[in-house]
Amino acid sequence: MWWHYLLVFFGALLFDIVPFPFAPAFTIMVFFQILFELDVWIVIIVGVIGSVLGRYILLLYAPLMADKYLKASKNEDIKFLGDKMDQNKWKGILVVLAYSLLPLPTTPLFLGAGISKIKPIYIIGPFLVGKFTSDAIALHLGKFASENQQNIIDNIFSWQSIASFILGFVMLFCLFFINWRTLLRTKKLAFDFKILN
């Protein structure tokens, strides 16, 4: 039965290592918890560790992807945004914590932080706290929902799941196509669609 928990770990890792909005890692955790009737707290701990490791790896390879696929000006723009966050570390930590507690995709947050080369400790620490809290709630709700499996299957394409997916892409659009230097310096919204090498 221990290999079921390995599936939870690798599932959460894979869901959170991808550089585009994907289903939240807690969905695979809930799936395996229901499928194999696993202990909820062990699933939470193992899944959160996998999820945090996946996001850490994303932080590490995001700059490499950005250097390869984005124009230098867009990289500098995102780094400028990271520098602004780095200037007030406590505010940045609180933003990451609050963001991690919400049911929002964290991919844009980690891509931006990775490209900005923000020290992982400022992102991973609050993400761990927020992720553990929100996933614990989600898994306990999932345990309750296991009694209503058909209802969950019927709602996979609900407006909430579609809206969350679209919101993730909108946030990535904002990260990559808004000229953040212009917005933060002059308070004027400007777009730059020529971001690729």
Side-chain angles (χ1 to χ4, degrees), residues 18 20 22 38 55 79 99 104-105 113 130 142 165:
V18 296
F20 51 85
F22 199 60
L38 301 174
R55 287 304 188 203
K79 287 176 186 170
Y99 192 91
L104 298 172
F165 185 72

Side-chain angles (χ1 to χ4, degrees), residues 127-154:
F127 175 71
L128 175 64
V129 172
K131 181 76 174 158
F132 184 85
T133 305
S134 62
D135 282 2
I137 293 167
L139 265 109
H140 281 92
L141 290 173
K143 187 175 181 181
F144 169 78
S146 66
E147 299 165 4
N148 301 303
Q149 290 179 14
Q150 189 57 45
N151 217 7
I152 293 171
I153 293 168
D154 293 341

Side-chain angles (χ1 to χ4, degrees), residues 18-88:
V18 296
F20 51 85
F22 199 60
F26 74 81
T27 57
I28 194 70
M29 294 161 62
V30 168
F31 174 77
F32 285 132
Q33 190 276 321
I34 292 169
L35 183 66
F36 299 120
E37 298 179 3
L38 301 174
D39 181 271
V40 174
W41 285 106
I42 296 174
V43 169
I44 292 167
I45 292 167
V46 169
V48 168
I49 291 169
S51 183
V52 169
L53 181 60
R55 287 304 188 203
Y56 178 71
I57 293 168
L58 177 61
L59 274 175
L60 297 180
Y61 80 81
L64 303 173
M65 276 185 22
D67 289 342
K68 183 173 183 176
Y69 295 109
L70 299 178
K71 288 172 69 175
S73 61
K74 180 40 67 178
N75 272 328
E76 290 303 316
D77 191 44
I78 294 173
K79 287 176 186 170
F80 176 79
L81 188 60
D83 290 343
K84 283 291 185 189
M85 186 177 163
D86 207 28
Q87 286 174 1
N88 191 339

